Amino acid sequence: MSNVVGTVKIKSLRWRQYMATKAWVTATFDREGINSNFGGSLYGGDIAGGFSFFFADQSPWIGWLGGKRVDLKKLTELMAPQNFSMTGPLEFALQTNAEAKAIRRVKGWFQSIEPGTMRIGKIDDLLARIPPDWSPVKRDSIRIALESLRDFDYRTGAGSFWFTDGQGILDLKLQGLQGSRTFQTVLHANESPVGLWKQPARP
């Protein structure tokens, strides 16, 4: 059996805490494996993607996903409720390489296509923990610095990310009338001192 094509339409589809509507899936089967494309609506925007699963040792597969005008506010509220939020419509794309259930590599980019606001909710906890016995100058300087990070109105925002073999990096850069904000998050899956993304020890 080869080149058998089928399309399934789904009113709503949930994966963990994420919900898509008006979803559809098309699959093609042949001797090499399964090729599929899918799409739908996600939080005010559209998504489209696909995957190829190969009938071979280790069950390798690749996948990709892209989105346009996805509501960042709804998305970040689901990803990090009360800790981190952004607003504005989002465009993004990502690619994945994997074997069976083991994710080997994830790489992608994203950008906000209209102005928005970033808020880091955890900053409020840090503000509440400023020691009362600090001098007024020290308390005020720390408070001003933290508050400048907590809320930021940006005109453009873009970033990229990748993950491989238990390690990865997320970069985010925002620019607005108040200047710019640049963030880099480094993920380490273990504490090996020779890990690829371990920072050099300071003298």
Side-chain angles (χ1 to χ4, degrees):
M1 181 172 63
S2 63
N3 296 325
V4 177
V5 181
T7 300
V8 178
K9 294 183 179 181
I10 306 171
K11 183 177 181 180
S12 63
L13 183 65
R14 179 184 294 273
W15 181 73
R16 295 185 178 180
Q17 70 267 42
Y18 306 103
M19 173 72 75
T21 59
K22 300 179 181 178
W24 57 268
V25 180
T26 299
T28 302
F29 302 82
D30 58 32
R31 294 180 179 179
E32 301 296 326
I34 304 172
N35 299 293
S36 176
N37 292 296
F38 57 87
S41 298
L42 181 70
Y43 306 121
D46 298 312
I47 58 171
F51 68 87
S52 294
F53 178 86
F54 303 101
F55 301 142
D57 293 341
Q58 307 301 322
S59 300
W61 62 273
I62 59 175
W64 56 95
L65 177 66
K68 293 184 177 180
R69 302 198 67 82
V70 177
D71 188 340
L72 255 176
K73 186 174 187 295
K74 293 181 179 179
L75 195 60
T76 54
E77 284 177 349
L78 288 171
M79 295 173 62
Q82 301 179 349
N83 294 332
F84 178 80
S85 68
M86 295 179 66
T87 64
L90 177 74
E91 290 187 350
F92 68 90
L94 64 88
Q95 299 175 349
T96 301
N97 294 86
E99 295 177 352
K101 296 182 179 181
I103 303 298
R104 299 304 183 191
R105 182 182 72 96
V106 178
K107 182 178 181 180
W109 60 267
F110 54 91
Q111 65 178 9
S112 177
I113 57 178
E114 292 181 9
T117 300
M118 178 194 70
R119 178 177 177 83
I120 303 176
K122 280 293 185 180
I123 297 294
D124 291 332
D125 294 338
L126 296 177
L127 289 170
R129 295 176 184 176
I130 295 177
D133 57 344
W134 281 6
S135 68
V137 173
K138 187 175 181 179
R139 287 201 310 270
D140 291 343
S141 61
I142 292 297
R143 183 179 299 277
I144 292 172
L146 290 175
E147 288 180 346
S148 69
L149 289 174
R150 182 184 59 187
D151 300 289
F152 183 71
D153 296 324
Y154 57 87
R155 302 182 68 179
T156 62
S160 62
F161 57 89
W162 68 265
F163 170 89
T164 181
D165 294 330
Q167 301 180 90
I169 285 185
L170 168 65
D171 286 311
L172 172 63
K173 185 173 184 179
L174 307 174
Q175 293 183 323
L177 296 177
Q178 302 172 349
S180 64
R181 300 287 187 273
T182 300
F183 301 90
Q184 184 177 86
T185 302
V186 180
L187 171 66
H188 302 294
N190 57 63
E191 296 301 321
S192 170
V194 295
L196 180 61
W197 293 107
K198 287 296 181 183
Q199 302 298 319
R202 294 185 179 182

